[in-house]
Amino acid sequence: MNRRKLMLSHDGVRIYHSWKGGRALTWWYALAPDHDAEGGGRDFDIRRLPEAYLAGLDLDMARVADAAQTLKAYERMLDAHREVLRRAIDARHDFEASVARDHRKGGAWTWLRRAIGR
């Protein structure tokens, strides 16, 4: 996928993939193109959006053995992510607040350590 390609453009809001080490991150999205997660500060974790936007959607990618099926599973996952983002945009979600929350007090790594109890 081209780095400059939008993940989603909906109702005037543009959301991009966040990148790390030349690869798009699975759960993190950015408010600016070509965002490098190691630079920090302009991305957010889709899993931390309010539950109302996530409800009923499978945000994970099913593991399959066949390469063609893997691509289809990845596309289904991205479609679910796009739906979450559309729901959030339609509800006028404050993505800047999500960015600030996910980078507050140590950012995502602090949140992850807390989530796994370390």
Side-chain angles (χ1 to χ4, degrees), residues 9 12 15 29-30 33 54 57 59-60 63-64 73 78 80-82 107 110:
S9 179
I15 305 290
Y29 293 95
L54 306 174
L57 296 172
L59 300 183
D60 207 353
R63 302 286 180 217
V64 293
L78 289 181
H81 287 203
R82 286 184 191 98
T110 298

Side-chain angles (χ1 to χ4, degrees), residues 6-19:
L6 291 170
M7 168 57 174
L8 176 73
S9 179
H10 180 71
D11 199 21
V13 177
R14 294 176 186 202
I15 305 290
Y16 303 85
H17 281 282
S18 189
W19 294 81

Side-chain angles (χ1 to χ4, degrees), residues 7 17-18 23-29 45-47 59-61 63 74 77-78 81:
M7 168 57 174
H17 281 282
S18 189
R23 296 183 64 169
L25 297 174
T26 302
W27 305 106
W28 286 79
Y29 293 95
D45 184 335
I46 195 170
R47 297 167 296 184
L59 300 183
D60 207 353
M61 188 175 107
R63 302 286 180 217
Y74 181 72
M77 180 192 73
L78 289 181
H81 287 203

Side-chain angles (χ1 to χ4, degrees), residues 102-113:
D102 289 353
H103 290 279
R104 186 181 310 121
K105 296 181 183 176
W109 292 114
T110 298
W111 174 82
L112 179 61
R113 284 193 299 271

Side-chain angles (χ1 to χ4, degrees), residues 88-113:
I89 292 166
D90 289 345
R92 304 291 184 239
H93 178 73
D94 183 353
F95 286 99
E96 292 289 342
S98 291
V99 165
R101 177 203 59 226
D102 289 353
H103 290 279
R104 186 181 310 121
K105 296 181 183 176
W109 292 114
T110 298
W111 174 82
L112 179 61
R113 284 193 299 271

